[in-house]
Amino acid sequence: MSSMSLSEELAWRGFVNQTTFKDITAIDNQSLSFYFGVDPSADSMTIGNLAAAMMVRLFMQHGHKATLLIGGATGLIGDPDGKKQERDLKSIEEVQANTASIVAQYDIVFSGMNFDVVNNYDWFKDISYLDFLYTVGKHVPMSAMVGREFVQSRIAEGGAGISYAEFSYSLIQGYDFLHLYREKGVTLQVSGADQWGNSIAGVDLIRRIEGAEAHVWTVPLVVNKTTGVKFGKSEDGAIWLDSSKTSPYKFYQFWLNCDDAGSIDYLKVYTTLTREQIEAIEAEFLANPSDRLAQKTLAYEVTKLIHGEAIANDQKRIADILFGTKNYADLDAELLQLLESELPFTEARQGDSYVDVLVATGLATSKRQAREFIINGAVWNADIAQIEQTDQTLDTTKSYSNYVIL
C-alpha cells in the first residue's frame, strides 16, 4: 500500500474532481462502503471506464468496501446525458450478454481484490410501476430533473426531444444508490465526471427518504493535453478492453503513441506504479524525451494489467523490432503471424521485384525511394531475411500468398 493517505494519493494521481465532501481528508479517517457502476451498453468497457476503475482500485487498496454494479436495468434504457438524440433500445438478451462480458472484465481489472458484484436488474424486475411512483417518485421534485443541462438541450427549440424513459434515467440510477444504502450500507458512489448529476439524484433520495447522509466522488475526464479533446479515441474509434474489439497490438500501440505532454499524467491514472517509480521515469523522460520511456512504460504496464504479462511481453518485443533497435531476425513464427494479422499487406507474384512491391504497398512513394530503402537495409521479407539488392525478386522456389513486406 502507498505511504500516502487515500486523499493524498487521489490528488497526486489526478483523481479529484467534484465531490460532496467538504473536506476530502474525510475519506482517510473512516471505513466506507461505496459503489461503482457501469451500464452494459456495449460488451466491453473502454479506457474511459478504466480511468474510473483505477480510482476504484485505490479506494479498495485503502480499505474501503466495494460493490461493483452492472446496470442490467439502466442499460435497457441508456444514459441520455451527453447524447443529442434518443438511444436505440437494446433487447434484454443483448444486455444480459453484455453484462456477462463486463463482469468478466471486473475480474481482470480488480484481480486479487475483494468486492461484491450486483446487477440492478435483480431488484428492478420485481418493482411495479405504481410502487415505484408511490415510494420513490413522490419524493423527487420535477425542478431537479427538468433543470438538468442535457434535458434542457433536448427540449429546447431545435432539440431532438426526450422520451419519458430517458427523462427518468437519473431517477432510476438514483434508486440504485438508495437500494444499496438500505441493503449494503453503501454511503458513497464513485464515478466518472459525466455521472455527477445521476449520482446526486441518489444522494438526494437517501436524504429525503431515509434522512441520512451520502456522498459522491467523481474522477475528472482524462483529456489529451495536446489536442484538448477527451482522451481514449483512435482513428478506429474507442479503445476497448476486449481484445476482439481492440486487438492487443492496437491497444499497445495506442499507449505507445500517446502525447508527450500527457504521458506522465496517464502513468498516474492508468498504472499501479508507485509515486517513486513514476517520478524516476519522469526525470529520465524529461532528460531524454526522444527515447519515449514514459510511453513505453505506459504501454507495457496497461497492456499487462488488461491482457496479461505474456501478451504484454510479446507486444513489447514487436514494438522493439518495429520501432526500436532490435532486429527482425528476433521475430519468431508466432509473432510474425501476429504481425501479418495486424499490418497492411499485399499479394505479390513470384518473380516480382521488391522495388515494385514496395511501391504497390505504398510503403515507398516511388521506385527511387524503394531502392533507397533497400540500400539502407530497411527492408525485410516474411522469411525474416534482409533484402540487400535493389534488383532482388521474390523467391521463385517458394509459394507465396499474402506476402508481407515489413
Side-chain angles (χ1 to χ4, degrees), residues 221-260:
L221 290 177
V222 182
V223 175
N224 184 313
K225 288 187 175 181
T226 301
T227 63
V229 301
K230 183 179 177 181
F231 181 74
K233 299 285 186 180
S234 71
E235 291 182 2
D236 298 326
I239 304 299
W240 302 90
L241 305 193
D242 188 326
S243 61
S244 67
K245 299 173 80 69
T246 299
S247 70
Y249 172 82
K250 291 179 179 177
F251 189 82
Y252 193 96
Q253 293 297 317
F254 170 82
W255 299 104
L256 196 61
N257 289 293
C258 284
D259 56 297
D260 286 352

Side-chain angles (χ1 to χ4, degrees), residues 275-289:
R275 181 171 187 168
E276 292 73 23
Q277 289 172 315
I278 292 176
E279 288 178 345
I281 292 167
E282 182 177 20
E284 188 172 341
F285 175 66
L286 293 176
N288 185 19

Side-chain angles (χ1 to χ4, degrees), residues 254-307:
F254 170 82
W255 299 104
L256 196 61
N257 289 293
C258 284
D259 56 297
D260 286 352
S263 58
I264 298 300
D265 287 343
Y266 306 148
L267 279 170
K268 295 176 182 177
V269 170
Y270 287 104
T271 77
T272 59
L273 297 176
T274 66
R275 181 171 187 168
E276 292 73 23
Q277 289 172 315
I278 292 176
E279 288 178 345
I281 292 167
E282 182 177 20
E284 188 172 341
F285 175 66
L286 293 176
N288 185 19
S290 63
D291 191 49
R292 301 180 67 78
L293 177 63
Q295 288 93 334
K296 291 176 182 177
T297 306
L298 181 67
Y300 181 79
E301 291 295 328
V302 186
T303 304
K304 182 174 71 172
L305 174 69
I306 301 303
H307 297 298

Side-chain angles (χ1 to χ4, degrees), residues 33-37 66-70 116-120 123 173-189 206 210:
S33 289
F34 71 95
Y35 94 95
F36 167 72
T67 296
L68 306 181
L69 181 144
I70 298 290
D116 294 331
V117 176
V118 296
N119 184 339
N120 63 8
W123 53 84
Q173 184 173 317
Y175 182 78
D176 288 341
F177 203 166
L178 174 64
H179 176 84
L180 293 175
Y181 169 81
R182 289 169 168 170
E183 298 297 319
K184 291 180 172 292
V186 169
T187 58
L188 171 67
Q189 180 179 359
I206 292 171
E210 299 294 333

